[in-house]
């Protein structure tokens, strides 16, 4: 089984690890892999997953985990882009974005072991 681990940045997949050195990302999708596990700041939501899958042409099993942000580790354009997104989300002041706004303002870590249970169960199959 080939597994692709990646981060999500506005909502583009950025590959950072794979169980295969032959993962191919093309305009038709991510190929040569059975499972894509993505980590991003936004809370898990089916609507969010559908958008990520569509934009990145993910063609296999997809799992999303909420991560967080540590501003001390961000540099350059990624830090700049995140600040621009943060300003936009904060201006909109949507009630459903309260948790996300808190992470934008203060940084934070939303990683929880129990959030990986669906992935663990899938990998046991």
């Amino acid at each position: 089984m080939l597994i692709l681990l990646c981060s999500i940045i506005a909502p583009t997949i950025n590959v950072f690890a794979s169980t295969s050195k032959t993962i191919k990302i093309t305009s038709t999708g991510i190929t040569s892999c059975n499972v894509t596990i993505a980590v991003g700041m936004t809370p898990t939501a089916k609507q969010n997953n559908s958008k990520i899958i569509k934009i990145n042409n993910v063609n296999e099993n997809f799992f999303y985990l909420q991560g967080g942000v540590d501003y001390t580790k961000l540099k350059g354009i990624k830090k700049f882009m995140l600040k621009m997104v943060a300003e936009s989300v904060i201006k909109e002041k949507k009630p459903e974005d309260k948790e996300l706004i808190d992470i934008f303002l203060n940084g934070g870590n939303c990683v929880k072991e129990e959030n990986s249970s669906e992935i663990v169960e899938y990998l046991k199959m």
Side-chain angles (χ1 to χ4, degrees):
M1 176 178 292
L2 301 175
I3 302 170
L4 173 67
L5 304 173
C6 51
S7 63
I8 301 290
I9 299 177
T12 304
I13 287 179
N14 296 284
V15 176
F16 63 80
S18 168
T19 59
S20 167
K21 293 181 181 174
T22 60
I23 295 297
K24 296 175 188 152
I25 301 179
T26 67
S27 60
T28 58
I30 297 170
T31 60
S32 306
C33 132
N34 303 103
V35 179
T36 298
I37 303 170
V39 179
M41 281 182 30
T42 52
T44 304
K46 295 285 184 202
Q47 180 182 3
N48 187 40
N49 288 358
S50 298
K51 182 177 180 181
I52 293 166
I53 289 166
K54 183 178 179 182
I55 288 173
N56 295 283
N57 297 312
V58 176
N59 297 319
E60 68 286 323
N61 298 297
F62 177 80
F63 297 95
Y64 177 85
L65 297 170
Q66 185 178 13
V69 66
D70 181 349
Y71 284 109
T72 64
K73 294 181 180 179
L74 277 178
K75 305 265 186 271
I77 191 72
K78 288 184 179 178
K79 190 171 189 174
F80 175 77
M81 285 175 49
L82 190 60
K83 285 188 176 194
M84 297 297 287
V85 171
E87 287 174 13
S88 174
V89 171
I90 291 167
K91 276 184 185 177
E92 290 178 18
K93 294 184 182 180
K94 294 181 187 172
E96 64 267 24
D97 290 337
K98 185 177 179 186
E99 181 183 6
L100 188 57
I101 290 170
D102 184 53
I103 294 169
F104 276 133
L105 293 173
N106 305 308
N109 183 352
C110 299
V111 176
K112 297 178 185 123
E113 187 175 342
E114 61 267 18
N115 292 346
S116 64
S117 61
E118 185 180 357
I119 298 167
V120 171
E121 289 305 311
Y122 176 82
L123 295 175
K124 285 181 181 179
M125 296 175 25

